[in-house]
Amino acid sequence: CLRSLSPVHQIVFKCFQSWIPKIIKKRVCTTFVEDSFSNGALCQCGGARDAHASVALGDYFSTAIVNHWDSAQHSSEYPTDAFGELQFAGASKRHSYYLRLSWDTPPSMVYTLMTAHWGLPAPNLVVSVVGGEGRTQVKTWVREVLRQGLVKASQSTGAWILTAGLREGVGRCVGEAVRDHATAASSVSLNKVVALGIASWGLVHNRDQLVNPQGSFPAKYYVQNPSRDSCCLDNNYQAFLLVDDGSVGRRGGETGFRAKLEDYISHQRTGIWGSGSIDIPVLCMLVSGEANMLERVDLSLKTSMPWLVLAGSGGMADFLSDVLENLSSAPVVQSSGEGDSEAGPSVDLKDRVAERVKKYFPAEAETDKLVERALSIYQNRDLITIYHGEQEGPNDFDTVLGQPQRASVDASPYNEELKLAVTWNRVDIAKSELFNGDIHWRYEDLEDSMTDALVNDKPQFVRLFTENGLNILDYLTYGRLESLYRSVADGTLLYQLLQRRLVERLGTAAAAPATSTVEPPSSKVATDNMQSGPVMEITLFEVSGVLELLMGDVCQPFYYDALDLRQITSKRRALRRASKLLRGDCLYRERRCLFPWASLFIWAVLQNRSEMATFFWEMAGESVLSALSGCKILRELSKYEVETETKLSMKELAQRFENLAHDVFSSCYRSNESRSFTLLIRKSPVWGGTTCLQMGMGADARLFFSHDGVQSLLSQIWWGDMKRNTEVWKLLLTFFCPLLCYTNLISFRDHEDQQQEEEGKPNEDGPGRDSDSLYGTTVFSFSDIKHIEADSQGPITPRTATIRGMRQPRPPPKRPFIVSRWRQFWFAPVTSFLGNVLMYFLFLLLFAYVLLVDFKPPPPAGPAITEYVLYFWVFTIVCEEIRETFFLGTMTWRQRIRVYIQDVWNKCDLTAIILFVIGLICRMFHWSYGFGRDVLCVDYMVFTLRLIHIFAIHKQLGPKIIIVGKMMKDVFFFLFFLGVWLMAYGVANQALIYSYDPRLDRIFRRVFYRPYLHIFGQIPVEEMDVGKDWDMPCTDNITLIEDGAEPCRTLYSNWLVVILLVIYLLVTNILLINLLIAMFSYTFSEVQANSDIYWKFQRYNLIVQYHSRPSLAPPFIILSHINLFIKRTIRKVPSVKIHHFVLQLRGKAANRLMTWETIQKEDFLTAQNKIQKSSDSERLKRMSVKVDGLVKHLTESRDFDHRLRALENEMEYCSNALSWIVDTLAQGSTFKPPRPPPTIRDAFPCSSSLS
């Protein structure tokens, strides 16, 4: 049996088999006490005489003097023989846990077993349903309360529901309700209801199927029609505790253990990370019930256990509701003892309780005990809540469920209620009861609950706390941020990435012993997990490493300022410095987090928490850049995720953030075009010095780049100071005749025009300038970035700080018209692009001329002059590639190389240069001259293919380049299928035609090359068909064949060759070729549908590339390189274009731009809320709330109607009684009245109709 189990079940089997019977016991009757009603056949325990052991029957003297069987005296403990997993035959594949245990088993041991070894989640609430047992019919409205009220409320709080767990009465109703809610709820629901059955072992039908001294994994349980003294287990429960008191067929054997278990759980702690802040609330719910339930209620009330009585359900519930509601006005007097401080009930109250006992339990003999119990319960009535489910309905049950808890809270009631609300995830109760304006909340009161809400993903509470006094600046320190990252659940992708970075920091030697300790038992809470193993060592350095892995080189490393690593560029040095810092006191953990909302946004995005991340995005600044950053992180995370569902959710959330960035920027662009341009190129201090354009490119945000505002900025940068409607032929003409730039052939935008394009900005600079200029000047020609940055830094310099109320920027010196117009034309990226295209065509013509006409032999006869010019041209191209790689940007040289290699066209350039160098070296020697020329020929193809990149700027040709690139991937898949089929046919065809041919060159030609040509119709029929004449001389001599002679064809198997040829052509020419066409058609239609988006997205890289390039094209670019060398190295002039597409704002300019962006975001969110509220679903929700309120009012009015009718009946009775008294007195002769009886006057005509 053990071999058939899975490895996990074998481990569980062996574990349970070893220790469960040693600590868990069962009860067996050891004394036969004869039942007088069975004529000696049965014991008072319910078991038959034959079922008792000989020791139980041997002591005749003791059995003769015993009148009542008692479990403690007449039964003994033995190791349990029924435990493990339970499988209900024909019901479901899910297994339930079960355990047979003695009634005096310590509840602490059982609770640990359930949570640690059975894996049941620790409860946030325990609802113990008492009563409603037996075969009595449960009322319909009680079923609805259990289904729509109890189970639904328990599901939202993560509760345990305790019942008998049998297929009868209330236990069956609860099981069916739990099953229905589990089916309707999502599979990833965090708060699942745990239905726990606690029944008497002797009451279980077919209990022999559960017995196995070594444990059952699983035990098959067959549900049958039970007998009168037994009942079957319900298959909808997760676990069963079968309490054994040694009896058979007797109810109530589990009551004592169940009460002790409830009391033990009520003293356990729950709260933040499942530990420590509040006691687990336990609520007993009474449904119906017999008279013996009165003792159970009284004992638990004395331990301050709250109760919820379901009035109208019958039995004991109706009795208690009647006593507590109708006798509440009865007087309570002090008892006769002076020193006794307890209050005793009056004689009248006892009589009224006795009347109700006789009314509800007429068959009970010992009414005095019931009265005393009832009076004791009456004194603890503050712990009891009466719920009229038939009148109030099941929808209000969740609110009523929390009311008994508030009665049992002693110290700090509001804090405890808040912690309970957070634990139960009931933000509606928190809003209506705790945050309604009556309570002043302090920061200290909300701190722990905020941590609980963050860790357990409860964004509604986070929003509620933020709106009601929690200051996020005081809350989020770097130490608390680290603790949030330590709380990441095991097994998640973020946890694995953090652990990987931690191992890198600790080193393999230090990580090996640390990782061996990461096996905490499942009974430990999450706080204990954080204090064991390497998780304790997770710091901001690991978080920074994960973000660097995901963000790449788009931005600078995060949290290096906090770790004092800002000036360190080497990764190895940073690792050593961080290790040294973390071995110290780590004083940075006490400091406030510099950007708290952005840090929490990153934390939520890394865990793929959609609603939480969206809220933090709303609260964080720089909304456009934050949304693009979230999109980037999620798309990179999805590449590492292996689970399909999680990967899909990450991609959906990433697309959602891209849509948010697009929509918010649309709002900004509609508000102010100039400021929105500044928004795109502003350098962000929050996100590591990156910009929206850089982050959007890194996040592959095609939708964002397709926005008209982004494209407008790119177009203005592309054209520089020239107007965007300039024709291309004018550019070409001016390029060949530069003096035309001083004419009106090309229109340029004047400086005054640029200023007038900005709203509200006057033509002069100085004190009278409008406040819009404080948002930063929009840059179209980036030659003046240096001066703009100087302007923005002006107010904080010591010189200008002494001038109050005035800014004194230093304007750039005005250049002569000849110089300025020359720079306006030649420094525009479009001119640089045009020059590079024309010169590249000349380069290809020169290269072709050298290869075809002027390729001389090796030295000293060659190379020719044109070839030396070609060498110099390629040298200037190499110099430009080096400049782009190592002398552009502020990254380290490793980052620059990595960024350079990531671009496909840079790989093409690198391949072309390497091939050219190899061909150049080889052609200089006689022995490798031919190989060098061949390499140069292939290199010419690579240089020519580089032209494709130039057409990316074209609106029609640009998307076609993407289509070609995607089709190349389709071709590779096609070649795989073709290669498999081609090899299969080629080998078989060669073996069938030629019986022996050892020459490898002929074999490769006939196995691969010739079948490939068959696809295009080149079929040598004479060679393959023996029916045709073949003029090729051949031989069958093996010696001649080995010497190179042509072997003759094999004749007898030629028919099979023809059949294989037909099949091969059918598959390749019809099946595979059409498959390739279909793949091409799908790729084309997919890209063509979004061709505009693709083209706009790929424009960015090309514009950035040519904006940063010198104005001259190779080979004249060497002059620009010499000029740059003199300016940077000798004259020490800082680079301007090193900051391309980056504008750094400080002071008021940065603050006002951020404020303006925040206002636009708020306007956008307000508009979205209006749209959402006006949607049909929201209207239906509001209508549903109104209908529910109307139904509630109708129910209340119906109650008033019932009361009016009862009052009318009482009035009618009093009226008839008074009439009878009047008539009697009038007919009597004892005394004479002074006046006649009053007559009935019709003062209220409607009274008769009412009666």
Side-chain angles (χ1 to χ4, degrees):
C1 178
L2 183 60
R3 294 178 180 177
S4 62
L5 298 176
S6 63
V8 177
H9 282 79
Q10 291 182 19
I11 296 175
V12 175
F13 184 95
K14 293 178 181 179
C15 179
F16 275 43
Q17 186 181 18
S18 60
W19 64 269
I20 286 287
K22 295 180 181 178
I23 62 173
I24 305 297
K25 307 298 181 181
K26 67 175 182 179
R27 283 275 177 178
V28 178
C29 179
T30 55
T31 303
F32 184 83
V33 180
E34 182 178 340
D35 187 2
S36 59
F37 297 99
S38 63
N39 296 325
L42 299 177
C43 175
Q44 289 187 16
C45 70
R49 179 183 291 271
D50 299 337
H52 286 68
S54 58
V55 65
L57 302 174
D59 193 358
Y60 295 103
F61 178 75
S62 62
T63 57
I65 62 176
V66 173
N67 295 324
H68 179 69
W69 185 87
D70 182 72
S71 175
Q73 299 179 4
H74 304 138
S75 63
S76 301
E77 290 184 343
Y78 295 91
T80 184
D81 56 0
F83 60 92
E85 295 181 359
L86 184 62
Q87 180 182 4
F88 290 87
S92 64
K93 296 182 180 180
R94 181 180 60 83
H95 295 176
S96 302
Y97 299 99
Y98 76 99
L99 175 66
R100 178 185 182 183
L101 69 162
S102 175
W103 58 268
D104 57 352
T105 304
S108 59
M109 187 183 303
V110 179
Y111 182 76
T112 304
L113 172 69
M114 290 189 295
T115 55
H117 300 280
W118 286 357
L120 300 182
N124 297 323
L125 170 68
V126 176
V127 180
S128 179
V129 183
V130 180
E133 300 174 357
R135 306 186 186 279
T136 57
Q137 187 69 24
V138 180
K139 297 181 180 180
T140 304
W141 67 268
V142 175
R143 290 175 177 269
E144 291 301 318
V145 168
L146 295 176
R147 179 186 300 272
Q148 300 183 16
L150 173 63
V151 177
K152 186 177 180 180
S154 301
Q155 191 176 27
S156 64
T157 58
W160 284 10
I161 301 180
L162 308 185
T163 69
L166 302 176
R167 291 177 61 88
E168 62 175 12
V170 173
R172 183 168 187 170
C173 298
V174 172
E176 292 174 351
V178 170
R179 177 199 62 197
D180 296 341
H181 278 275
T183 304
S186 61
S187 59
V188 294
S189 177
L190 297 177
N191 295 329
K192 293 183 178 179
V193 179
V194 175
L196 180 62
I198 304 179
S200 178
W201 166 260
L203 201 62
V204 177
H205 186 64
N206 286 340
R207 55 186 174 273
D208 295 337
Q209 300 173 3
L210 309 179
V211 175
N212 185 355
Q214 297 181 349
S216 301
F217 300 93
K220 287 192 175 182
Y221 184 76
Y222 294 89
V223 179
Q224 300 175 352
N225 294 326
S227 60
R228 183 177 61 86
D229 297 330
S230 63
C231 188
C232 294
L233 299 176
D234 195 302
N235 62 313
N236 297 311
Y237 284 73
Q238 281 85 345
F240 297 94
L241 297 178
L242 307 178
V243 183
D244 190 4
D245 62 347
S247 64
V248 178
R250 290 175 49 182
R251 296 184 181 272
E254 78 285 357
T255 303
F257 172 79
R258 182 172 173 177
K260 290 189 296 182
L261 180 63
E262 294 166 358
D263 182 68
Y264 175 80
I265 295 177
S266 67
H267 291 87
Q268 303 307 302
R269 311 289 283 178
T270 185
I272 299 176
W273 301 325
S275 66
S277 59
I278 53 175
D279 292 336
I280 298 177
V282 178
L283 171 67
C284 295
M285 178 178 174
L286 180 61
V287 181
S288 184
E290 303 297 333
N292 54 5
M293 286 292 175
L294 209 59
E295 181 181 2
R296 167 86 162 85
V297 175
D298 184 29
L299 294 177
S300 60
L301 285 175
K302 291 180 179 179
T303 60
S304 300
M305 184 75 66
W307 278 76
L308 179 65
V309 177
L310 202 59
S313 59
M316 181 59 63
D318 291 353
F319 168 73
L320 288 180
S321 62
D322 188 8
V323 170
L324 297 177
E325 288 183 334
N326 297 328
L327 302 184
S328 58
S329 60
V332 178
V333 297
Q334 292 292 329
S335 57
S336 57
E338 292 183 3
D340 192 3
S341 62
E342 297 182 357
S346 65
V347 178
D348 180 59
L349 181 61
K350 289 184 178 180
D351 295 339
R352 297 172 68 180
V353 170
E355 292 179 0
R356 282 165 172 76
V357 169
K358 294 179 180 179
K359 174 183 177 182
Y360 287 97
F361 307 106
E364 290 294 329
E366 300 179 351
T367 57
D368 294 339
K369 292 184 178 180
L370 296 180
V371 170
E372 294 296 329
R373 293 288 184 185
L375 292 174
S376 177
I377 292 172
Y378 184 80
Q379 292 179 350
N380 295 315
R381 58 187 179 274
D382 294 336
L383 294 174
I384 301 178
T385 301
I386 308 297
Y387 178 67
H388 297 274
E390 188 174 11
Q391 299 176 6
E392 300 180 22
N395 294 328
D396 299 331
F397 186 82
D398 53 356
T399 305
V400 178
L401 193 64
Q403 293 179 358
Q405 309 306 321
R406 293 195 283 273
S408 60
V409 174
D410 297 328
S412 302
Y414 298 124
N415 290 339
E416 295 295 324
E417 289 185 29
L418 178 60
K419 292 176 181 178
L420 280 177
V422 175
T423 304
W424 296 350
N425 198 20
R426 296 305 305 271
V427 70
D428 52 342
I429 296 179
K431 286 182 179 179
S432 60
E433 301 291 337
L434 303 176
F435 292 93
N436 52 9
D438 299 335
I439 306 172
H440 177 68
W441 292 98
R442 299 174 301 171
Y443 166 76
E444 294 80 8
D445 300 331
L446 303 176
E447 187 176 4
D448 291 341
S449 298
M450 179 68 169
T451 305
D452 191 0
L454 285 172
V455 173
N456 295 311
D457 193 17
K458 298 172 182 178
Q460 294 179 342
F461 275 101
V462 176
R463 184 186 297 271
L464 185 65
F465 297 152
T466 306
E467 295 172 351
N468 289 273
L470 188 136
N471 187 359
I472 196 66
L473 295 174
D474 295 332
Y475 172 79
L476 193 66
T477 60
Y478 286 116
R480 179 161 282 147
L481 184 61
E482 287 182 349
S483 67
L484 290 177
Y485 278 102
R486 293 182 191 132
S487 67
V488 175
D490 298 354
T492 58
L493 177 60
L494 177 59
Y495 178 82
Q496 297 172 4
L497 293 176
L498 289 173
Q499 292 296 309
R500 196 178 304 167
R501 292 290 171 176
L502 178 63
V503 170
E504 291 180 4
R505 179 170 64 85
L506 298 179
T508 54
T515 53
S516 63
T517 60
V518 191
E519 294 182 2
S522 56
S523 61
K524 297 283 186 180
V525 294
T527 305
D528 296 335
N529 290 339
M530 287 168 24
Q531 297 176 354
S532 62
V535 183
M536 182 59 187
E537 302 298 329
I538 287 180
T539 61
L540 291 180
F541 186 75
E542 283 72 47
V543 179
S544 176
V546 172
L547 291 176
E548 184 179 1
L549 174 67
L550 299 176
M551 304 293 281
D553 302 320
V554 176
C555 55
Q556 299 172 1
F558 287 82
Y559 305 120
Y560 268 32
D561 285 337
L563 298 171
D564 197 18
L565 303 175
R566 170 59 65 184
Q567 304 300 328
I568 300 177
T569 57
S570 173
K571 186 176 181 180
R572 187 172 300 176
R573 289 179 56 196
L575 187 61
R576 290 198 298 265
R577 180 71 175 271
S579 300
K580 182 179 179 180
L581 173 67
L582 296 174
R583 284 194 296 267
D585 296 333
C586 300
L587 299 178
Y588 73 92
R589 292 175 177 169
E590 303 298 327
R591 300 204 307 264
R592 290 180 176 181
C593 187
L594 191 58
F595 304 106
W597 290 118
S599 299
L600 289 175
F601 173 72
I602 295 174
W603 174 78
V605 167
L606 287 173
Q607 298 184 83
N608 194 26
R609 295 182 174 182
S610 175
E611 191 175 353
M612 187 83 77
T614 304
F615 170 69
F616 290 145
W617 171 81
E618 294 176 2
M619 301 300 296
E622 303 184 4
S623 55
V624 177
L625 183 54
S626 298
L628 291 174
S629 302
C631 177
K632 166 71 173 175
I633 294 174
L634 287 166
R635 283 179 177 162
E636 293 297 328
L637 273 177
S638 64
K639 298 177 183 178
Y640 296 93
E641 183 60 56
V642 294
E643 295 185 4
T644 305
E645 185 177 354
T646 306
K647 179 181 292 188
L648 183 61
S649 66
M650 287 180 177
K651 291 181 178 179
E652 290 177 353
L653 185 56
Q655 187 60 45
R656 179 180 177 185
F657 278 123
E658 184 181 351
N659 295 337
L660 286 174
H662 178 273
D663 296 340
V664 173
F665 183 73
S666 297
S667 178
C668 295
Y669 185 68
R670 288 191 300 267
S671 174
N672 191 306
E673 179 179 349
S674 176
R675 295 179 188 174
S676 63
F677 290 163
T678 309
L679 189 67
L680 291 176
I681 61 176
R682 176 207 42 201
K683 188 175 181 181
S684 169
V686 181
W687 294 98
T690 188
T691 65
C692 291
L693 292 179
Q694 294 173 354
M695 187 63 73
M697 177 56 61
D700 197 21
R702 294 187 178 93
L703 179 63
F704 177 76
F705 269 92
S706 66
H707 191 275
D708 292 340
V710 180
Q711 292 302 309
S712 178
L713 175 63
L714 294 179
S715 297
Q716 294 190 24
I717 295 172
W718 177 249
W719 287 97
D721 290 333
M722 291 182 288
K723 291 190 175 180
R724 296 166 56 182
N725 57 357
T726 305
E727 289 84 356
V728 178
W729 66 269
K730 294 182 181 181
L731 290 176
L732 291 173
L733 189 60
T734 309
F735 184 82
F736 289 105
C737 186
L739 295 178
L740 292 177
C741 69
Y742 298 106
T743 66
N744 293 326
L745 180 65
I746 297 179
S747 300
F748 291 87
R749 291 184 296 111
D750 296 332
H751 184 66
E752 291 80 7
D753 296 336
Q754 297 179 23
Q755 287 181 341
Q756 290 175 1
E757 287 182 2
E758 299 179 6
E759 298 178 3
K761 183 175 179 181
N763 293 333
E764 68 277 357
D765 292 335
R769 190 168 54 177
D770 187 75
S771 61
D772 288 350
S773 62
L774 296 177
Y775 291 92
T777 305
T778 302
V779 181
F780 303 130
S781 176
F782 275 69
S783 59
D784 296 330
I785 288 183
K786 177 173 62 177
H787 305 291
I788 294 171
E789 291 183 350
D791 293 348
S792 64
Q793 297 176 10
I796 60 175
T797 58
R799 181 176 180 181
T800 57
T802 59
I803 303 176
R804 296 182 180 179
M806 292 183 62
R807 293 187 58 192
Q808 294 182 355
R810 184 176 302 171
K814 189 173 182 179
R815 298 185 178 94
F817 172 76
I818 297 177
V819 179
S820 62
R821 181 56 57 90
W822 183 269
R823 291 173 60 89
Q824 283 177 338
F825 177 75
W826 288 104
F827 283 20
V830 65
T831 309
S832 177
F833 170 76
L834 185 62
N836 278 272
V837 171
L838 294 176
M839 297 307 294
Y840 198 79
F841 274 108
L842 291 178
F843 167 74
L844 292 178
L845 290 176
L846 178 62
F847 202 165
Y849 175 80
V850 170
L851 289 177
L852 298 176
V853 179
D854 206 12
F855 198 79
K856 302 293 183 179
I865 299 299
T866 55
E867 193 169 350
Y868 280 118
V869 174
L870 179 65
Y871 296 162
F872 177 74
W873 204 318
V874 174
F875 170 74
T876 59
I877 294 176
V878 172
C879 291
E880 176 58 20
E881 295 296 324
I882 294 175
R883 187 197 66 84
E884 287 183 2
T885 306
F886 296 101
F887 298 98
L888 191 64
T890 57
M891 297 180 291
T892 62
W893 64 273
R894 289 184 179 180
Q895 292 175 333
R896 292 168 180 172
I897 294 176
R898 185 163 58 245
V899 171
Y900 179 83
I901 295 297
Q902 287 175 354
D903 189 81
V904 177
W905 298 111
N906 287 338
K907 294 177 184 177
C908 182
D909 291 337
L910 192 60
T911 304
I913 292 170
I914 292 174
L915 288 177
F916 190 87
V917 172
I918 294 174
L920 171 62
I921 295 174
C922 293
R923 68 96 57 221
M924 294 297 177
F925 303 98
H926 289 279
W927 58 271
S928 59
Y929 171 79
F931 176 75
R933 189 176 187 278
D934 296 340
V935 172
L936 289 176
C937 291
V938 175
D939 189 38
Y940 179 80
M941 293 182 59
V942 179
F943 272 115
T944 307
L945 291 175
R946 185 67 171 80
L947 273 175
I948 298 177
H949 179 52
I950 297 175
F951 301 120
I953 198 65
H954 197 270
K955 188 171 185 178
Q956 275 71 37
L957 295 179
K960 303 302 185 294
I961 298 174
I962 300 175
I963 293 175
V964 172
K966 290 185 175 293
M967 285 183 176
M968 290 300 296
K969 299 179 181 179
D970 297 337
V971 168
F972 281 114
F973 286 109
F974 168 78
L975 289 178
F976 171 75
F977 292 111
L978 180 63
V980 172
W981 185 242
L982 188 143
M983 183 175 179
Y985 167 73
V987 172
N989 182 69
Q990 171 70 10
L992 290 173
I993 294 180
Y994 302 100
S995 60
Y996 180 72
D997 188 3
R999 291 194 58 178
L1000 293 179
D1001 58 340
R1002 283 200 297 250
I1003 288 176
F1004 279 104
R1005 285 177 178 270
R1006 291 169 178 169
V1007 169
F1008 295 102
Y1009 180 61
R1010 184 176 292 175
Y1012 178 74
L1013 295 179
H1014 289 355
I1015 301 175
F1016 304 99
Q1018 297 185 16
I1019 304 173
V1021 181
E1022 296 82 4
E1023 181 181 354
M1024 302 184 65
D1025 191 357
V1026 295
K1028 301 287 184 179
D1029 294 333
W1030 192 32
D1031 56 358
M1032 177 69 69
C1034 62
T1035 179
D1036 292 327
N1037 191 335
I1038 297 179
T1039 304
L1040 295 177
I1041 293 175
E1042 291 178 351
D1043 292 338
E1046 181 73 23
C1048 291
R1049 300 172 295 176
T1050 303
L1051 304 179
Y1052 69 91
S1053 60
N1054 188 254
W1055 61 273
L1056 187 56
V1057 173
V1058 176
I1059 294 177
L1060 289 180
L1061 176 63
V1062 173
I1063 297 176
Y1064 172 73
L1065 293 177
L1066 180 68
V1067 173
T1068 54
N1069 287 18
I1070 296 179
L1071 180 62
L1072 294 182
I1073 297 298
N1074 282 279
L1075 174 63
L1076 181 63
I1077 294 173
M1079 294 168 65
F1080 283 172
S1081 300
Y1082 173 76
T1083 302
F1084 181 84
S1085 60
E1086 183 183 21
V1087 177
Q1088 190 67 23
N1090 301 311
S1091 59
D1092 189 62
I1093 295 177
Y1094 279 103
W1095 170 71
K1096 290 178 178 178
F1097 179 70
Q1098 68 181 3
R1099 280 186 70 204
Y1100 173 76
N1101 283 330
L1102 192 67
I1103 294 176
V1104 169
Q1105 177 183 355
Y1106 283 97
H1107 174 266
S1108 62
R1109 275 198 172 195
S1111 302
L1112 298 177
F1116 306 107
I1117 199 172
I1118 193 67
L1119 300 177
S1120 298
H1121 291 163
I1122 295 173
N1123 180 39
L1124 289 174
F1125 177 78
I1126 295 173
K1127 291 174 65 176
R1128 304 290 177 263
T1129 307
I1130 300 176
R1131 298 177 56 193
K1132 303 297 183 182
V1133 178
S1135 173
V1136 174
K1137 287 191 174 182
I1138 196 174
H1139 300 289
H1140 64 265
F1141 293 85
V1142 174
L1143 181 63
Q1144 186 166 2
L1145 300 179
R1146 295 189 179 95
K1148 292 182 179 179
N1151 292 334
R1152 295 188 181 184
L1153 181 63
M1154 187 177 298
T1155 303
W1156 173 75
E1157 183 185 6
T1158 304
I1159 292 173
Q1160 303 307 316
K1161 178 190 66 177
E1162 295 297 334
D1163 293 343
F1164 164 74
L1165 294 176
T1166 303
Q1168 290 295 315
N1169 290 332
K1170 290 181 179 179
I1171 295 174
Q1172 184 178 1
K1173 289 180 179 179
S1174 62
S1175 62
D1176 294 339
S1177 59
E1178 290 296 324
R1179 290 181 179 179
L1180 288 175
K1181 288 181 180 179
R1182 291 195 295 268
M1183 184 64 69
S1184 176
V1185 172
K1186 292 179 180 178
V1187 170
D1188 291 340
L1190 182 61
V1191 170
K1192 188 174 182 179
H1193 287 303
L1194 288 176
T1195 304
E1196 293 176 356
S1197 63
R1198 189 179 306 167
D1199 185 28
F1200 291 148
D1201 188 38
H1202 287 308
R1203 293 182 180 181
L1204 286 175
R1205 290 182 180 178
L1207 183 60
E1208 290 172 358
N1209 293 332
E1210 294 287 342
M1211 291 293 295
E1212 183 179 3
Y1213 171 76
C1214 293
S1215 176
N1216 294 333
L1218 289 175
S1219 299
W1220 179 79
I1221 293 174
V1222 169
D1223 294 340
T1224 304
L1225 292 176
Q1227 294 176 3
S1229 57
T1230 307
F1231 62 92
K1232 295 293 183 179
R1235 57 184 178 86
T1239 59
I1240 298 178
R1241 291 179 298 175
D1242 195 8
F1244 303 98
C1246 60
S1247 60
S1248 59
S1249 61
L1250 287 174
S1251 59

